[in-house]
Amino acid sequence: MKTIDELIAGGVAGKRVFVRADLNVPLDGAASVEERAITDDGRIRAAVPTIRKLADAGARVVVASHLGRPKGAPDPQFSLAPVAKRLGELLSTDVAFASDTVGDSARAAVGSSADGDVTLLENLRFNPGETSKDDAERAAFAGELAALADLYVGDGFGAVHRRHASVYDLPARLPHAAGGLIATEVGVLKKLTDDVKRPYAVVLGGAKVSDKLGVIEHLLQKADRILIGGGMAYTFLKAQGHEVGSSLLQEDQIPAVKGYLEQAEKLGVEFVLPVDVLAAESFPDLKTKAAASPSTVPVSAIPAGLMGLDIGPETGELYAAKLADAATVFWNGPMGVFEHPDYAEGTRAVAQALLDSGSFNVVGGGDSAAAVRLLGFDEDAFGHISTGGGASLEYLEGKTLPGLAALENS
């Protein structure tokens, strides 16, 4: 895989360099695009070093990304306009913003750019060709994007598991290289798959166990212990015979979960589940942050009318103890509804345990990364905070990621 340094060494001054970044950041619910605010700019900050390096080398940088899931047509609520403003602030320069992806605005903005300038295109997913499953439609859009550039840099790690036009088809049309962020992400994840320092602990949370089945199956062959939290924990608890009240439950996944518990026992992998939870009658209001009045209950006695919304304090202590001697830790998924202060302590306990363990630890992107920032932790204190939750999981499953495969092809 060619690096950005090799690309720059070959000369980028005066050339249009298309940077596929991942600027898919959360926005608040303001009614107008002008008023909409970014609530977590972590992915934008992660993209800055590669963009700055190219601009400093005299490239005419064309940045592109998706945001959210528009339906293949312009949708103001998913506009990248707020991102252009924030990117300019972080780069300490004006960032030109094209109001389309491959139309008149994009061609004019790119065509008028000078050496060292940065242009951000509007949301790639406003064009149906970006995410199309039809190879010809995707290829046609990739061809239009290629007309805007001379060189390609893939740096959107959070999108490399997608077979999308700007991620998979476009690199084949231009000389290409991996950006600094992708190089860092892949290097870190290799430490979780090749010659892992032990004990190796994995913490998995989030809402649905179905989202994690592949990574659980793969990590059973590699991890020494697996700790489960979040909404997915209740399917495991149900598989063990516990009643889970009105908690999130995927009954169709119970047979698979039972199989993993049995396999873990055979392999000598320690599978750790909650022993108590914070439960309430209803899901909390995340906008008003109104008091939720949760109760702490043992997992053996979750009342029929309550839903579990966070691991309990005893579980937090248990998980901290299980992580204390770990040499390597991978964490993906919060332990509860961390966005509400009444249900943030389980996630906080895990984050603090990672720091206290002295391990090489990786926070696997997505909600886990957002939780670290929301709860006020120093990001630099962790071994690595990934920008791609889904991409990280698929890499650890051993899958071939289309965006990485495209960059590896010469």
Side-chain angles (χ1 to χ4, degrees), residues 4 7-8 12 17 19 50-59 61 153:
I4 187 175
L7 192 75
I8 290 173
V12 296
V17 181
V19 177
T50 288
I51 296 169
R52 178 176 284 135
K53 180 177 281 192
L54 288 166
D56 288 348
V61 186
V153 172

Side-chain angles (χ1 to χ4, degrees), residues 58-69:
R60 303 178 182 189
V61 186
V62 183
V63 184
S65 176
H66 70 287
L67 190 154
R69 296 188 178 186

Side-chain angles (χ1 to χ4, degrees), residues 384-398:
H384 179 69
I385 297 180
S386 179
T387 57
S392 295
L393 289 176
E394 292 198 15
Y395 187 97
L396 293 180
E397 286 179 46

Side-chain angles (χ1 to χ4, degrees), residues 338-362:
F338 70 92
E339 301 94 335
H340 193 287
D342 289 351
Y343 302 107
E345 292 310 306
T347 302
R348 187 189 304 278
V350 166
Q352 188 61 54
L354 261 65
L355 298 182
D356 293 343
S357 69
S359 63
F360 169 69
N361 52 73
V362 177

Side-chain angles (χ1 to χ4, degrees), residues 276-314:
D276 64 341
V277 299
L278 262 64
E281 292 182 354
S282 61
F283 198 85
D285 189 323
L286 299 182
K287 288 187 177 180
T288 66
K289 301 293 193 295
S293 302
S295 302
T296 301
V297 296
V299 296
S300 58
I302 300 176
L306 299 186
M307 64 174 66
L309 296 165
D310 192 14
I311 59 173
E314 189 176 341

Side-chain angles (χ1 to χ4, degrees), residues 245-280:
S246 59
S247 306
L248 183 63
L249 176 65
Q250 291 185 283
E251 293 223 36
D252 61 324
Q253 301 298 332
I254 289 177
V257 164
K258 284 183 175 179
Y260 290 142
L261 291 172
E262 293 170 0
Q263 187 179 358
E265 188 172 359
K266 291 178 182 177
L267 293 171
V269 177
E270 187 178 8
F271 227 102
V272 190
L273 297 176
V275 293
D276 64 341
V277 299
L278 262 64

